[in-house]
């Protein structure tokens, strides 16, 4: 089942912060975050496993709450280059292991203005 | 390191015609995915290969879509016959390791995609 992302869109000025949320109705093994710029391929940002927080890209970090089946992506001091559509991908938990399948959310459009 | 190569970049066909897309993954990547991305939506997995074997094709419309991965390297995705609702970007991605193996090296590297328009 597809995870739900919120908000659907956010507009920022350079230097502002943003949070994008990803929520699943299923227990999760991992959450993956990708960014896709207009007309380009999605680019991997980071993977989160079982409550771990992993800082993987520029000033972007994320958290994963297993119990709430949610993940949040934090973008601090945003730059123009952060503009794009952010997708979370969720990997369901099958009794401690993975079904080995990633389902993407509908995306959050982030626009950063000068 | 060369990225995932896909061709063609764009394709326009009439409904009921057939079309094929080609993908060359990153060298050494055992896992290969085909995704369908409809405008304004997230990528939807169509099929996943591990080497030349199919791991998951549960969302592949098998009455019209087919895919193969010869010798565990290049892959082709075919649609026959195409419908209007098949208009989308078809993304190929590869990964060093399959999902569920602990997270490390399971990230997907995507190609530029093929934009298909069915008229």
């Amino acid at each position: 089942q597809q995870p739900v992302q919120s908000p659907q869109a956010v507009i920022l000025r350079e230097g502002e912060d943003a949070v994008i949320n990803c929520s699943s109705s299923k227990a999760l093994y991992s959450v993956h975050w990708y960014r896709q710029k207009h007309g380009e391929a999605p680019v991997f940002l980071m993977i989160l496993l079982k409550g771990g927080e992993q800082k993987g890209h520029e000033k972007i970090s994320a958290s994963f709450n297993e119990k709430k089946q949610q993940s949040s992506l934090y973008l601090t001091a945003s730059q123009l280059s952060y503009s794009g559509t952010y997708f979370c991908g969720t990997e369901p938990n099958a009794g401690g292991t993975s079904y080995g399948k990633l389902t993407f959310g509908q995306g959050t459009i982030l626009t950063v203005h000068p | 390191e060369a990225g995932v190569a896909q061709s063609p970049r764009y394709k326009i066909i009439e409904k009921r015609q057939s079309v094929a897309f080609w993908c060359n993954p990153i060298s050494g990547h055992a896992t290969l995915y085909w995704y369908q991305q409809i405008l304004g939506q997230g990528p939807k997995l169509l099929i996943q290969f591990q080497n030349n074997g199919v791991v998951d094709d549960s969302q592949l419309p098998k009455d019209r879509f087919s895919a193969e991965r010869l010798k565990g390297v290049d892959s082709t995705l075919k649609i026959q016959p195409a419908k209007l609702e098949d208009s989308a970007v078809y993304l190929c991605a590869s990964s060093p390791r399959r999902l569920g193996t602990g997270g490390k090296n399971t990230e997907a590297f995507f190609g530029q995609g093929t934009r298909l328009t069915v008229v």
Side-chain angles (χ1 to χ4, degrees), chain A residues 16-79:
Chain A
E16 292 181 337
D17 302 340
V19 180
I20 299 172
N21 299 302
C22 175
S23 179
S24 173
S25 60
K26 292 186 175 182
L28 298 175
Y29 181 84
S30 75
V31 179
H32 300 222
W33 285 96
Y34 287 80
R35 177 172 63 206
Q36 185 176 30
K37 293 183 180 286
H38 184 70
E40 298 181 9
V43 173
F44 169 77
L45 295 176
M46 64 188 75
I47 294 174
L48 297 106
L49 296 169
K50 297 184 178 182
E53 187 168 308
Q54 182 175 338
K55 190 170 184 175
H57 201 84
E58 300 168 346
K59 293 181 181 178
I60 301 172
S61 62
S63 63
F64 175 26
N65 187 320
E66 288 175 75
K67 288 187 178 180
K68 291 186 178 180
Q69 296 166 183
Q70 293 176 344
S71 177
S72 295
L73 187 72
Y74 306 95
L75 300 102
T76 58
S78 59
Q79 305 168 17

Side-chain angles (χ1 to χ4, degrees), chain B residues 5-116:
Chain B
Q6 289 189 247
S7 66
R9 287 295 311 276
Y10 305 92
K11 192 74 177 179
I12 301 175
I13 62 171
E14 295 183 349
K15 59 183 179 183
R16 291 187 289 274
Q17 284 187 325
S18 62
V19 64
F21 312 127
W22 173 81
C23 172
N24 179 238
I26 292 173
S27 177
H29 283 194
T31 307
L32 185 146
Y33 309 90
W34 282 103
Y35 286 91
Q36 178 193 59
Q37 187 174 27
I38 293 172
L39 188 63
Q41 298 182 18
K44 173 189 167 185
L45 179 68
L46 293 176
I47 189 166
Q48 177 183 344
F49 292 95
Q50 184 67 17
N51 296 308
N52 60 348
V54 175
V55 173
D56 185 342
D57 63 356
S58 57
Q59 296 190 99
L60 186 73
K62 298 180 186 65
D63 57 335
R64 298 184 301 106
F65 285 65
S66 65
E68 61 180 2
R69 189 180 184 194
L70 299 174
K71 299 180 181 178
V73 182
D74 292 3
S75 178
T76 56
L77 176 70
K78 297 179 181 178
I79 307 175
Q80 182 180 5
K83 293 185 175 181
L84 296 177
E85 59 261 35
D86 297 333
S87 293
V89 175
Y90 290 85
L91 294 163
C92 177
S94 68
S95 178
R97 297 177 66 188
R98 61 183 294 178
L99 291 166
T101 54
K104 189 175 173 66
N105 294 327
T106 61
E107 66 269 30
F109 295 81
F110 284 84
Q112 291 291 308
T114 297
R115 182 176 297 277
L116 174 68

